[in-house]
Amino acid sequence: MNRIPFEEVQQTLAAVLRKLGFAAHRADTCARLFAETTRDSVYTHGINRFPRFVTTIRNGRVDPAAEPEVVARFGALERWDGHRGPGNLNALAAMERAIALSREHGIGCVALANTNHWMRAGTYGWQAAEAGVIGICWTNTMPNLPPWGGAEPVIGNNPLVIAVPRATGPVVLDMAMSQFSYGTLESYKKRGQMLPVDGGFDADGNLTRDPAAIEQSWRPLPIGYWKGSGLSVVLDMIAAMMSLGEATHQIPADPLLETSVSQMFVTLNPEAFGPAPRAAQIADEIVASLENCPAAAHQVKVRYPGEQTLRTRAENVKLGLPVEAAVWAEIHAM
C-alpha cells in the first residue's frame, strides 16, 4: 500500500478527467470528492472505485459534460433532472441547493432524477453538517438485495445518510440497507477475512459470514431482516415518486450499466427560528451520554456515528492517502 499526498492524488485524477471531457473546474471538484472519500477511509468508493467510474464514462453511461437542471419548483421543494451527469457532482449540487432552501424556508428538499452513482453517500451528509444544517439523503440503486422472503435481488441496498451538525464534530450516519455493502464484502474478501456477523446467504440459502459466498449468490442480508427490506422499498418509492425518475426494478442490474438512479436531499435548519444554542447543547448532551456508557466486553469505547472518520481523516492527511499500488498504476496508465 502506497501513501500518496492528497494534492497529488487530486491532481492526477483531475488530469484523467480532463482528458475524458470534463471542464477543468468540474474535473478538480470530482477528483477532490474521490480523494476525500479515500482520505476518510471509505476506500471502496474512493480511489479504488475511480477506474470503474472511468469505464462508465467510456461506455456512455455517464456524460461528463451534463449538468443538473431544475425542472419544477414549489416553495421549499424542487425537482431536478441530472441528465446522466457525473453522480457525485450532481449530488453535490443538489445538496448545496437543499441547504440554500433551508436557509430561506427552514427546510429544503431536492428530488433528483436521471443521475448516476453518487459514490460515497456520506459525502453529502458531511456537506450539510459542515454547513450547519441537518441533512437527510438517500438514493435508490440497481436491484442488488433480495426482499425478505425472496430468493432473488429485486430491491436495492439504497444507502441512507442522516447528518447532524456539531461544533466539535458532526454526527454522520451513513448506511446501506444491507448488513454489509458490496464494497465492504469486497474488502473482507481481499483481506481473506470472514465477516464478524452473518452478512447474507450462500448458494444453498444458508446464512453465512463468508463474503465470497455472498458475492457469488448476490443475496446479502437486509439490515434488521424484514425491517431493512421494508425500508429499502419505501426509500425507493419516495425517491422515484418525488423525482418522477426510475425505480430500482427499472435500473440495469449491472454495476457498469447502472444509471438513471433517483435521489432525495432533505435539509433542516436548526437556526430557522433564530440562534439555537439549546439545540447545540442537546446534541452535545446526547454524545456525552454515549461516551459515558461503559464499553461492552472486547470493545474499547462507545463511539457516535462519524467519530472514527475524523480521526482517520487526520491520520491520512498527515501520512498521505493509502492507495493500492495496482490501482495507482492503472490510473497513471489512463
Side-chain angles (χ1 to χ4, degrees):
M1 189 76 73
N2 298 329
R3 287 277 188 176
I4 313 294
F6 183 96
E7 293 76 11
E8 182 180 344
V9 169
Q10 180 179 359
Q11 291 168 7
T12 301
L13 300 186
V16 173
L17 295 175
R18 287 194 296 273
K19 289 185 177 180
L20 291 168
F22 281 70
H25 71 284
R26 284 165 58 81
D28 290 342
T29 301
C30 187
R32 173 176 61 79
L33 294 174
F34 274 101
E36 288 178 346
T37 298
T38 293
R39 177 202 65 188
D40 289 357
S41 78
V42 188
Y43 303 118
T44 56
H45 286 66
I47 299 168
N48 286 351
R49 198 180 184 97
F50 187 78
R52 184 191 295 185
F53 177 63
V54 169
T55 298
T56 60
I57 296 169
R58 288 173 170 164
N59 70 17
R61 293 288 154 165
V62 175
D63 180 352
E67 297 192 37
E69 174 188 22
V70 60
V71 294
R73 289 190 175 99
F74 186 82
L77 174 64
E78 295 186 355
R79 179 178 291 145
W80 284 27
D81 186 334
H83 297 298
R84 289 196 179 185
N88 54 6
L89 294 183
N90 281 352
L92 193 75
M95 180 55 86
E96 181 178 354
R97 179 55 181 160
I99 293 168
L101 287 168
S102 70
R103 300 209 190 285
E104 180 180 356
H105 301 283
I107 185 171
C109 179
V110 173
L112 175 64
N114 199 28
T115 189
N116 280 297
H117 196 301
W118 62 4
M119 304 306 151
R120 175 182 63 154
T123 292
Y124 318 105
W126 285 95
Q127 179 186 357
E130 289 170 354
V133 303
I134 295 167
I136 306 169
C137 58
W138 67 92
T139 180
N140 63 10
T141 70
M142 67 180 189
N144 56 11
L145 182 67
W148 186 249
E152 295 181 358
V154 298
I155 62 176
N157 68 0
N158 300 349
L160 170 67
V161 177
I162 303 175
V164 179
R166 281 181 69 242
T168 55
V171 175
V172 181
L173 176 68
D174 176 359
M175 55 183 255
M177 292 301 106
S178 53
Q179 184 68 38
F180 297 93
S181 68
Y182 278 96
T184 301
L185 293 175
E186 182 181 358
S187 293
Y188 272 92
K189 185 179 71 172
K190 283 185 176 180
R191 296 195 300 267
Q193 296 177 344
M194 301 296 280
L195 303 173
V197 297
D198 290 337
F201 301 90
D202 62 20
D204 297 320
N206 301 309
L207 282 171
T208 180
R209 298 187 180 191
D210 184 348
I214 299 168
E215 280 189 328
Q216 185 176 15
S217 72
W218 266 67
R219 292 184 63 189
L221 185 68
I223 57 170
Y225 301 99
W226 50 88
K227 297 179 182 179
S229 175
L231 186 54
S232 169
V233 172
V234 296
L235 291 176
D236 180 33
M237 283 183 170
I238 295 169
M241 291 171 66
M242 293 304 296
S243 69
L244 295 185
E246 301 291 278
T248 286
H249 71 277
Q250 298 171 299
I251 299 169
D254 181 332
L256 296 179
L257 300 178
E258 181 185 28
T259 191
S260 293
V261 300
S262 302
Q263 297 171 351
M264 290 290 294
F265 301 84
V266 181
T267 52
L268 304 169
N269 184 1
E271 298 190 348
F273 302 105
R278 178 56 187 148
Q281 184 181 11
I282 289 171
D284 289 341
E285 289 171 353
I286 292 171
V287 169
S289 73
L290 296 176
E291 293 174 338
N292 292 333
C293 177
H298 310 301
Q299 299 294 323
V300 177
K301 59 166 289 190
V302 177
R303 298 198 303 259
Y304 64 82
E307 181 178 0
Q308 186 61 32
T309 298
L310 294 172
R311 295 173 181 168
T312 307
R313 177 184 297 180
E315 177 182 316
N316 285 340
V317 167
K318 178 180 179 180
L319 301 178
L321 307 189
V323 183
E324 294 181 17
V327 173
W328 195 234
E330 182 179 359
I331 290 171
H332 267 281
M334 296 175 182

